[in-house]
Structures are given as structure tokens and as C-alpha cells.
């Protein structure tokens, strides 16, 4: 009977680990990096957060007109995801620094795969297809870094991002002064974000360029976000302080939040 | 010990299949078609997508005024669902063709039961309760067809709809010219919908009457949709092409998408 | 072999109950009422619906300006949740009755942890930190009552709230006449809410002060809500009637809805 007990425990353990595996697979689908497998030349790749990267070499003129895209941008790079948005904004900012593409659209669906945040839909425009493709490739690659600062538990999530030198994407869509340091912290439930923002502003001499809440500058996500600029050291210090406060308070609601990748801010 | 191993596998299999059954039950609750069971004469029936059909024979005047409904519509037919919206729009269009009811309201909650799409809330008005009830009944019945063109996988979904002759619902709410062919493709994540739309417009000579994206004409769903008109053959060809492209790209993000019913477009 | 069969069933049962326990843990995280555990003096407590209560004793002036908060409110009480909103509005109304705090903000994220409703983000302002803290404490405490009138099943949910004497929160944000009885019923899917509202207005002599639907006065939640005032007996009777109708129709879509606490209306 002792052996039977052990067997039972082993069986239960095996079932639980199988379910665990299923959950992990759902969270991070394998994706298809092999273009031949998809049979679509428009497919560039996939990344964390159910992100897909696509390219249209020569866009249909009617569609171009509908989307109010300047005729000179014949080639479009398109990135979409079910979760995120902050990681994609910073990644797209890196992409425009290193390619001849411009970010034309950035929209925030209220998605997050059932979670309290967004997801993203963005379009790069370029005159050459190689530039559009390169912008998408850099974005997908940069997500490996930027997703590292998303922390999640059952009660909510927090996100921190920082760049020493903001480029056109963060300037156009998130009020960052061009070429200066920029950072932000966003937290769900939104209430925690207010306390984190207060701590950020008390921790360093920084300037606020934007804030967001469920009824303001979000698509009704359950988040409060503060976007700041200033000297690079001060911005980084404030972002790290906001993250610290948010992690503690989220931890008071549930399990300690875990990062979706390798954190880059400390 | 060999037998023990077999037993273990059997047990694990049984647990997994039991969980599977639970999930299926959640996805498609049995519903109550039997009015007596509900004890409410207002109840008409249920359908796919957590859809319920209801009728108010003689609406309260205060409520009628609040909803800005013309006084001549004493009877209301009401349909609501947790997922869908496209299937309901086309089904309601069939309903107004075959009944003396008019569609007064069609609103898009951002719901989709945790998914990236909508759900629907719509109201028919009629002078006689039999007409309101008939409009709801036809809508529920037509959903059996229209839900067949919703395909889902873990990464997102795609929807295609087509009618050879649009009536007042599609005209009023989705810009379809009365009596002409009309179709649309909607995809989540939205990024894939842009590439599908480009392929649609390159595949046939059709005219765009509307498009939608997370920040435009949706309730912040994570979808890009293209609505088209033209000759019936061309519209159908374009819709099928858009569906084909979307299925391939969604398949590149996860498992092959599966339809929620029997597809009617091929 | 008979014993083996029994063992199998026991094992399966144990696995299922373990999974059940996991789900329950997810639905109601233990929370951290012990400030020392969080190490944050800003933390006040947690409550049902993934609610957190927080206090900022002396808010940063830049943040105060950003949020357009009057300079006299140096201390902020902040409450946020992933689900609810109605329970929090009524609870906050109790809080302002019993403290020297005012409700400055109440925003509705479209969250509901994957469900069809909202969640909340609200801010109390006070001149003294003790008043801000007390407002948050009363709100958290009152949620024990107000969450009792949220009923949920797999197809949707319904909510009923009632107060004999509305104060400043319900007056400012939900059109309640000061000092008079006020109540509301909200149902998802929205279609059911229309039928429940019709029944409410036919059951008693009450006055409508507000209604909400997916495209009107919600953040695109899948709900229809009716807010009423009048004599206390009539308001209570109408709310109970609306709840009764909604429970029956929701029950026609799935399992009988279960309350999230102890109902207080009957």
C-alpha cells in the first residue's frame, strides 16, 4: 500500500506537470520562423507576447489611401501583438534609429489576452521593401530585451521602460523630447500606478511629459502610467524607484510578480 | 510494474479527457430552449457565441424614450451575445428581409469572453410582437450558418462574411449599398488583417466601403477589418482570398485555426 | 483489480480537487493585510474583486497638478480593482458619509479579469491623511456587503445595488438626487439588461436618472444598466424585480448564477 501511495503521488505530479506544460505552450506558441512553412513572403517572424511581424512590399493604392498613408511609402512593415505595447514602442524606436523607415501608425487595442492591458498594431512606411523589412526585424529582435521589464502576477502587472536617447517613435507617440532620456512605468490595477508615480517624482529631478489612466490616453485598460524625461541618470533612477514600489504593492495582492524575460533595469 | 505503468497512463488520459469535457461545456453551455424551464415569455432562445434572443411585447414608455426609440415600435426584439457581431449583423440582415421589423440599434461591446473581438447588443423594432419575435427567431437560426466562418486558434481569430444582396442592416451599419453584394474579412491580431486586406484588393475588382482598426470603428478590439462591395463574383473571390491569407498567417503563430461551425465560403 | 479501480477513482478525484483548489486560490488571492509584510506605509488593505486600498499622505505637487487635483487635497486615498465598480461606488458613497474626504475621480477600466464588465480606479482627496485613510478603510469594509449582490455564471453576470440615502459619490457620478433612495441593476450580456429594465419600470413607480449600454456611459463593457430614484420602497422593489428577471434569463443561458458574497436585497 505504501508503494501504491507513492504511485498515486507520482501520477498526480505527472498530470500536474503535463497541465503546466500545456499552459506554457499556450503562453508562448512556438511560432513559425520558417517562411517556407508559411508559404507567405509577407511573413517576417514572431516574438514574445503573441507578436507577428509582416511586410507588404508594394501596398495596394486603395488600401494606402484608406489608411491615409503618404504615396511615397510603397512598402509597409507591420507589427501586431496580443499583449504589450510599451515593449513594442521602445523596440520600434530602436528600429527607426537603425533603418530608413518611419513609424506611421501605432494603435492600442484593449486586448492583453484577457489581462488588464493593451497589445499593439503598428505600421512602418518605407520607400524600399528592404527598409520596411529591416524595421520589422529590428523591432522583433529588440522585443527580447524590452519584454524583460514586464512583470506579471495573478493580480495585475507592471511595466518599466527606459532609453537614454529617444528617437522619432517615442517623440511622436509618447511626447519624448528628441535625443533625450525618456522612461515610463505603467501598473495594473491603475491604483498602484498612482502610488508608484508619486514615488518616482519624489526620487529624482525629472519632468513629466505624459500620463495615462483608464479614462485618459489608454483604450480603457486598467493601468496608470507616468512618462518622464530629464537627465539620463535621474530618469533611470525614477523608473527603477517606480518599479520597486509597484513590485511591492502588487506582491501585497498576490504572488511575487515574475518578469516575462531578462530585466534590463537595475 | 508494466501493468501499473499502463494504469497510470489510463488514469492520466481519463483526467485529461475529463478536463477537456469541462472546457467544452464551458465553451458551449447547453442553453434553455424550453420557455417553461425559464418561466419567462420574453425568452425566445439561445445560439452559438453565448447568444440570447428576447422579446418585449409592449415596451415601457420611459424605457422607450430613454433608448430614443420611435413610439410606433411598441414591440422590441433583442439579441445579445458574448462573442461575434459580424455573424449577428449578417443574420439580422436576413431577419429584416423576411419580417416586418427594423434594426434600430447595433452596439459592439469589447467582450469576446476574454478574446480579442467584440460581442453584440442589438434591438429590432416592430409594431406587432409577432414581427419582433420572428426577427429574433430568424437571427438565431441564421447564426448556425454565419458562425461557420469564424476561425479561431490560440493566437487570434479570423472572420469572413458574404451576402449576394445586402439589406437594411448592412446598409445602415456597415455602408453596404442596398441590394448589392457585400462582404468583409476581419482578423486578430490586427496586423494580419492589413496583409489580408491588401491581398483581397489585389485579387479582384472590388470597392471598399469601410475599414476598421483598434482605434477606428471598433470598440478597441484587436482587429483589422475590410468591408467591400462590387459584383457578386468579385466580392466572393476577394473574401475567400482574404480568408486564405489570414488562415496561413494565423497558422504561422500557432495551431491551424478551426472553424466554429460549418464554413459556407469556398 | 477492483481495488485498483477504486484507487484510480480516488486519484482522479484528488487531482480534480487539487485543480479546484488552484482555481479558488486564483479567484481570491489571500492578500496581505499585514503592512509590515509589504513594507509600504501607503498600503491600507485588500478586498474582494482584486481590490487594493492605498494612501498617499502628502502627494507630489507635479502629480497633483497632472491629475487636476485641488491643492488643498494634500492627502489622497486610492482604491483600485480588477472587477466590480458598482460595489465600489456604493461603498465609496458610504465612505464619504462617514469621513472628511471627497471623491475626486472614478474611472471605469474595461477589465473584469477577462469577464464582460469593468473594474475601478478611484481617488479620494482629504486635507488630513487620517481622513484619506479612513475613507479607504470604510470603502474596503463596505465591499463585504456590496459584493454580495454580484451574481455570476459562465454566460454573464448581474449586479444590483440599493441605498436608502444617496450621498455625494452617487450624486456626482451616477445622477442620484442627494439624500434620496437610489438603486440600479446591470446585466451582461447587455440584451438581458434591457428586459430586466423594462420589468423594473413596470413593477414600481420610479424615476430613471441614467442608463448605460456598450456604446453609452460604459467603457464598452457588455452590460445594460438602469439607474433609478424615487420612494425608498419603490426603488427597492424595482431593483429586486430587475434582479429576479435577470437571474432567470441568465439561468436560461447556463448554470444558475451564484452570488460573490452574501446578498443584502430581498
Amino acid at each position: 500500500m505504501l508503494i501504491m501511495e507513492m504511485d498515486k503521488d507520482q501520477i498526480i505530479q505527472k498530470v500536474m506537470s503535463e497541465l503546466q506544460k500545456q499552459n506554457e505552450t499556450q503562453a508562448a506558441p512556438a511560432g513559425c520562423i520558417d517562411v517556407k512553412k508559411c508559404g507567405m513572403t509577407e511573413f517576417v517572424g514572431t516574438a514574445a507576447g503573441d507578436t507577428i511581424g509582416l511586410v507588404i512590399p508594394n501596398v495596394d493604392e486603395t488600401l494606402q489611401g484608406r489608411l491615409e498613408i503618404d504615396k511615397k511609402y510603397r512598402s509597409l512593415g507591420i507589427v501586431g501583438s496580443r499583449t504589450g505595447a510599451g515593449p513594442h514602442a521602445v523596440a520600434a524606436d530602436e528600429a527607426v534609429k537603425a533603418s530608413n523607415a518611419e513609424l506611421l501608425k501605432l494603435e492600442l487595442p484593449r486586448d492583453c489576452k484577457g489581462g488588464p492591458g493593451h497589445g499593439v498594431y503598428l505600421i512602418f512606411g518605407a520607400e524600399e521593401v528592404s527598409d520596411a523589412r529591416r524595421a520589422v526585424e529590428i523591432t522583433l529582435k529588440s522585443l527580447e530585451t524590452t519584454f524583460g521589464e514586464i512583470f506579471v502576477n495573478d493580480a495585475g502587472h507592471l511595466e518599466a521602460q527606459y532609453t537614454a536617447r529617444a528617437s522619432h517613435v517615442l517623440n511622436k507617440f509618447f511626447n519624448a523630447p528628441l535625443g533625450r532620456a525618456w522612461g515610463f512605468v505603467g501598473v495594473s490595477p491603475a491604483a498602484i500606478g498612482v502610488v508608484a508615480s508619486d514615488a518616482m517624482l519624489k526620487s529624482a529631478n525629472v519632468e513629466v511629459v505624459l500620463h495615462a489612466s483608464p479614462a485618459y490616453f489608454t483604450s480603457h485598460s486598467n493601468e496608470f502610467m507616468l512618462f518622464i524625461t530629464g537627465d539620463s541618470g535621474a530618469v533611470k533612477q525614477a523608473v527603477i524607484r517606480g518599479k520597486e514600489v509597484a513590485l511591492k504593492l502588487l506582491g501585497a495582492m498576490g504572488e511575487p510578480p515574475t518578469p516575462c524575460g531578462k530585466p534590463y533595469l537595475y
Side-chain angles (χ1 to χ4, degrees), chain A:
Chain A
M1 279 314 276
L2 203 69
I3 290 166
M4 281 302 298
E5 273 305 318
M6 273 181 61
D7 276 331
K8 275 200 233 173
D9 284 349
Q10 281 169 8
I11 292 165
I12 288 159
Q13 211 167 1
K14 197 175 161 191
V15 173
M16 300 313 282
S17 89
E18 202 159 318
L19 289 168
Q20 182 63 27
K21 264 186 283 172
Q22 281 189 358
N23 283 335
E24 280 163 10
T25 312
Q26 282 187 345
C32 154
I33 308 299
D34 181 0
V35 173
K36 286 196 200 93
K37 192 177 148 196
C38 313
M40 299 280 299
T41 51
E42 287 87 348
F43 178 76
V44 178
T46 59
D50 290 282
T51 301
I52 188 166
L54 301 159
V55 73
I56 298 177
N58 198 355
V59 67
D60 175 87
E61 278 189 21
T62 307
L63 185 64
Q64 193 183 41
R66 268 270 153 191
L67 299 178
E68 297 175 346
I69 289 175
D70 192 314
K71 275 182 187 294
K72 75 176 174 183
Y73 298 117
R74 289 189 323 125
S75 297
L76 304 184
I78 309 157
V79 176
S81 74
R82 297 288 310 278
T83 65
H88 301 80
V90 177
D93 202 57
E94 292 305 310
V96 298
K97 281 179 190 169
S99 70
N100 283 315
E102 200 179 319
L103 192 65
L104 307 178
K105 273 188 200 301
L106 186 152
E107 296 183 8
L108 303 179
R110 174 64 193 84
D111 189 348
C112 208
K113 265 198 150 174
H118 287 117
V120 85
Y121 153 66
L122 61 83
I123 300 185
F124 294 104
E127 299 182 36
E128 302 297 332
V129 61
S130 55
D131 289 322
R133 176 178 291 274
R134 188 156 158 67
V136 172
E137 284 169 348
I138 296 169
T139 303
L140 295 181
K141 181 70 186 163
S142 302
L143 287 173
E144 291 172 20
T145 304
T146 54
F147 256 99
E149 286 293 343
I150 295 197
F151 292 75
V152 180
N153 72 357
D154 178 63
H157 65 244
L158 95 99
E159 174 181 6
Q161 299 291 349
Y162 164 81
T163 179
R165 193 173 64 83
S167 191
H168 296 280
V169 172
L170 299 175
N171 175 251
K172 184 174 175 180
F173 294 94
F174 299 95
N175 289 3
L178 266 180
R180 292 195 62 197
W182 171 98
F184 93 94
V185 170
V187 197
S188 172
I192 295 179
V194 180
V195 176
S197 297
D198 185 68
M200 287 166 75
L201 293 172
K202 285 170 176 166
S203 75
N205 183 23
V206 292
E207 191 187 329
V208 178
V209 291
L210 190 67
H211 77 280
S213 66
Y216 179 70
F217 197 71
T218 64
S219 301
H220 306 301
S221 76
N222 196 344
E223 297 174 298
F224 189 94
M225 310 179 199
L226 195 74
F227 304 80
I228 56 175
T229 191
D231 288 340
S232 62
V235 171
K236 195 171 180 180
Q237 185 180 319
V239 167
I240 288 171
R241 176 61 185 148
K243 171 181 158 182
E244 195 177 86
V245 167
L247 279 173
K248 276 189 190 166
L249 291 172
L250 265 180
M253 295 185 78
E255 295 299 304
T258 50
C260 295
K262 197 177 156 225
Y264 69 87
L265 289 169
Y266 37 84

